[in-house]
């Protein structure tokens, strides 16, 4: 097949620059602009509105059609039929595991969940009210000091060990940040429990009181993990790739991803949604809030609405909406005022011209906060749970990048908008 090209005419007196057009397996074609630098120009796309930052075989999103695939499998099928670790195996290896591979994978994760004992001292340096995300950024980053051998990212074996350490220990790191907030003793992982049940155990059990996880609630949380596991080149994943592009230590790279995820426009949205619903307080006030969100002179936004890529219903939101009903039904909370407020907000926004025109639909975080609250998880832990789940995807994306022999350090260029050259004026001569 002949190579398709795009022509860029920079100046009518010069010949057009021909740029190859690359075709992926799915999704839009991509104009390969790498050669432009030789012609003395760069592309300008702050916020990466129309820029593919890399080639990846892990996750595919069609935002207009509302599709999300992990390694080709629709998210609906995975959320319905797989468990989280099965999905992680798929993200990392590209194929679903056989029963034997799954058992081996689950065992490896289970037996690496404990933290190095010295890490306890790190926790104790924090104020008791430290936000769990602040603790996670630090403790995950600090793991680089505990496992220095994993810094050798050129060695696939060291990379693999780091991947298992990160996946297995992140739930412990997250659960302990909550225990520390509460002033309760840290609960050690239990090898008899699965990944998700174990996390709930470390969160809710105390040395005086065991915690028997309800299978419906474990399944709901497992589904939240699956839905958040990867989402192609979002801000935090791109941050992990950017940090990892210098072959930095993997623990430092994931810590950078956690830092980026924390923001309210990204992973912090689930916490922000719940705070917003709490503030509304009453179904009758929903209209007022929608009006505020539409006011161009007011920076307020409805948290949990809109997405850079989805211009249709976020498929994860549709699944999470159903999970929300299941969990509230199981717990007899269908009349929960917050859930009623959320449904009313969803109804009004979906019928409103402003939201229809701008294609603003509820996103996954609109519902996940309600489910997490029903599971007895405190609001401050919501983003930490997103980070825990997304660690699986960050690791897959990091490993894909580092193992690519054609890899180069990420080094964006800029459109310089500052002053031109000027001469230094000594302090005593400045007016
Ligand atoms: N409420 C009211 N107006 C909105 C909202 C909202 N939630 N989101 C976007 N808009 C408006 C925005 O004001 C802009 O209007 P105009 O064209 O008049 O200037 C237009 O819609 C396009 O918005 P944008 O900011 O250019 O879109 P973006 O792609 O840069 O931002 C977003 C995407 C998710 C940051 C944004 O929709 C938002 O701030 N949403 C609320 C936060 C949120 O729920 N974030 C979670 C995202 S899903 C989880 C994840 O993947 O991290």
């Amino acid at each position: 097949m002949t190579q398709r090209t795009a022509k860029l005419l920079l100046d009518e007196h010069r010949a057009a620059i021909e740029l190859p057009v690359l075709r992926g397996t799915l999704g839009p074609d991509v104009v390969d602009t790498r050669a432009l630098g030789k012609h003395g120009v760069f592309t300008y796309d702050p916020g990466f509105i129309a820029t593919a930052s890399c080639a990846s075989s892990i996750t595919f999103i069609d935002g207009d059609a509302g599709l999300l695939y992990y390694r080709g499998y629709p998210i609906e099928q995975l959320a319905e039929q797989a468990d989280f670790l099965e999905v992680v195996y798929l993200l990392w290896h590209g194929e679903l595991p056989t029963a034997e591979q799954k058992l081996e994978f689950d065992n490896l994760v289970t037996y690496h969940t404990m933290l190095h004992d010295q890490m306890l001292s790190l926790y104790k340096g924090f104020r008791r009210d430290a936000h769990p995300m602040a603790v996670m950024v630090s403790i995950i980053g600090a793991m680089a000091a505990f496992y220095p051998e994993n810094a050798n990212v050129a060695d696939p074996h060291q990379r693999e060990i780091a991947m298992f350490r990160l996946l297995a220990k992140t739930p412990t790191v997250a659960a302990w940040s909550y225990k520390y907030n509460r002033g309760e003793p840290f609960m050690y992982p239990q090898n008899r429990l699965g990944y998700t049940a174990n996390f709930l155990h470390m969160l809710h059990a105390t040395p005086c009181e065991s915690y028997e996880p309800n299978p419906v609630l474990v399944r709901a949380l497992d589904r939240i993990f699956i839905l958040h596991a990867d989402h192609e080149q979002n801000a935090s994943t791109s941050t992990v790739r950017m940090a990892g592009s210098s072959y930095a230590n993997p623990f430092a790279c994931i810590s950078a991803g956690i830092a980026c995820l924390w923001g309210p426009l990204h992973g912090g949205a689930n916490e922000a949604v719940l705070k917003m619903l709490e503030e509304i307080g009453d179904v009758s006030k929903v209209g007022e809030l929608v009006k505020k969100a539409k006011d161009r002179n007011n920076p307020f936004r409805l948290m949990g609405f809109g997405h850079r890529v989805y211009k249709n219903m976020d498929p994860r939101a549709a699944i999470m909406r159903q999970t929300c009903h299941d969990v509230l039904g199981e717990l007899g909370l269908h009349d929960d005022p917050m859930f009623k407020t959320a449904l009313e907000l969803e109804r009004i926004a979906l019928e409103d011209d402003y939201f229809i025109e701008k294609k603003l639909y509820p996103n996954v975080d609109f519902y996940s906060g309600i489910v997490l609250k029903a599971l007895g998880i405190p609001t401050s832990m919501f983003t930490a749970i997103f980070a825990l789940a997304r660690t699986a995807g960050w690791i897959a994306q990091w490993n894909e990048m580092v193992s690519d022999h054609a890899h180069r350090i990420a080094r964006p260029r800029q459109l310089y908008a500052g002053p031109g050259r000027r001469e230094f004026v000594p302090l005593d001569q400045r007016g």
Side-chain angles (χ1 to χ4, degrees):
M1 208 169 69
T2 50
Q3 167 76 61
R4 288 171 66 223
T5 55
K7 289 192 177 65
L8 179 69
L9 194 59
L10 271 180
D11 162 355
E12 63 212 40
H13 304 298
R14 276 158 57 184
I17 303 170
E18 279 204 41
L19 301 166
V21 178
L22 310 179
R23 169 150 292 177
T25 35
L26 294 171
D29 294 343
V30 170
V31 180
D32 180 349
T33 56
R34 282 175 292 182
L36 279 182
K38 283 193 286 196
H39 297 272
V41 281
F42 299 124
T43 54
Y44 178 64
D45 184 14
F48 298 96
I49 308 290
T51 297
S53 61
C54 64
S56 176
S57 313
I58 301 173
T59 293
F60 172 74
I61 302 174
D62 181 336
D64 293 327
L67 303 177
L68 169 61
Y69 302 161
Y70 291 165
R71 301 282 191 179
Y73 293 101
I75 191 67
E76 293 82 359
Q77 292 182 22
L78 294 169
E80 187 60 40
Q81 298 176 61
D83 73 20
F84 177 62
L85 287 188
E86 206 172 343
V87 169
V88 179
Y89 186 101
L90 173 70
L91 289 170
W92 288 11
H93 294 97
E95 296 299 335
L96 288 165
T98 61
E100 202 182 321
Q101 288 166 332
K102 168 85 167 61
L103 192 67
E104 193 192 342
F105 191 78
D106 286 5
N107 275 340
L108 266 169
V109 176
T110 303
Y111 286 95
H112 287 89
T113 45
M114 238 179 2
L115 302 189
H116 191 293
D117 208 43
Q118 196 64 26
M119 282 194 181
L120 261 79
S121 322
L122 295 180
Y123 278 89
K124 302 219 160 118
F126 284 99
R127 279 168 46 146
R128 282 282 173 193
D129 60 355
H131 193 284
M133 287 295 277
V135 176
M136 282 187 80
V137 165
S138 316
I139 304 272
I140 298 287
M143 280 166 70
F146 288 82
Y147 309 111
E149 68 284 5
N150 293 162
N152 182 7
V153 299
D155 179 349
H157 179 61
Q158 289 300 337
R159 282 208 302 277
E160 193 185 13
I161 297 175
M163 289 164 77
F164 275 103
R165 280 182 170 148
L166 277 160
L167 178 68
K169 294 182 199 306
T170 304
T172 316
V173 171
W176 283 18
S177 68
Y178 171 60
K179 284 297 194 196
Y180 188 70
N181 278 169
R182 294 189 49 98
E184 287 179 9
F186 297 132
M187 292 304 291
Y188 284 83
Q190 289 277 331
N191 289 350
R192 69 182 167 88
L193 295 171
Y195 189 86
T196 305
N198 193 25
F199 175 65
L200 284 170
H201 150 79
M202 289 189 284
L203 216 54
H204 294 312
T206 70
C208 323
E209 201 84 44
S210 67
Y211 173 81
E212 280 317 314
N214 171 334
V216 175
L217 306 187
V218 172
R219 181 71 191 125
L221 186 58
D222 202 69
R223 199 165 272 175
I224 290 184
F225 290 170
I226 293 173
L227 298 182
H228 287 87
D230 196 48
H231 214 224
E232 54 118 298
Q233 308 312 319
N234 55 82
S236 57
T237 302
S238 301
T239 301
V240 171
R241 279 186 177 260
M242 174 76 96
S245 79
S246 70
Y247 293 145
N249 187 296
F251 303 105
C253 298
I254 301 302
S255 171
I258 298 172
C260 177
L261 186 77
W262 195 355
L265 297 189
H266 193 5
N270 53 14
E271 188 175 332
V273 168
L274 217 82
K275 284 192 180 139
M276 180 183 77
L277 292 175
E278 273 165 4
E279 271 166 34
I280 301 176
D282 187 86
V283 174
S284 63
K285 298 205 183 116
V286 168
E288 217 176 280
L289 201 84
V290 172
K291 210 168 141 201
K292 197 168 140 194
K294 286 160 45 176
D295 181 355
R296 285 184 202 285
N297 299 319
N298 193 327
F300 173 78
R301 286 181 172 203
L302 274 192
M303 286 292 127
F305 276 80
H307 198 277
R308 168 63 61 79
V309 182
Y310 294 118
K311 300 303 170 201
N312 198 324
M313 188 76 174
D314 175 343
R316 304 168 302 168
I319 302 166
M320 199 35 63
R321 189 178 195 276
Q322 183 54 47
T323 306
C324 211
H325 280 284
D326 296 349
V327 167
L328 295 173
E330 171 73 14
L331 297 171
L333 292 174
H334 253 128
D335 284 334
D336 177 59
M338 192 174 288
F339 186 51
K340 281 190 167 166
T341 308
L343 288 184
E344 181 61 1
L345 187 58
E346 178 199 59
R347 189 188 65 77
I348 295 187
L350 287 177
E351 286 173 1
D352 194 289
D353 284 348
Y354 173 93
F355 287 84
I356 294 169
E357 269 164 33
K358 295 191 187 298
K359 299 188 173 155
L360 298 170
Y361 293 85
N363 56 50
V364 64
D365 288 331
F366 184 67
Y367 304 101
S368 63
I370 303 169
V371 177
L372 290 172
K373 180 171 183 274
L375 294 179
I377 293 174
T379 317
S380 67
M381 280 296 288
F382 288 6
T383 316
I385 284 174
F386 191 160
L388 183 172
R390 186 56 59 82
T391 295
W394 289 331
I395 297 171
Q397 301 267 353
W398 168 81
N399 192 42
E400 178 180 63
M401 178 194 64
V402 176
S403 16
D404 180 357
H405 296 298
H407 163 75
R408 299 181 74 182
I409 189 168
R411 176 57 170 91
R413 303 305 295 258
Q414 64 168 8
L415 174 67
Y416 176 68
R421 184 200 152 104
R422 44 188 176 160
E423 301 308 321
F424 180 81
V425 181
L427 188 58
D428 59 358
Q429 291 170 31
R430 279 174 234 158

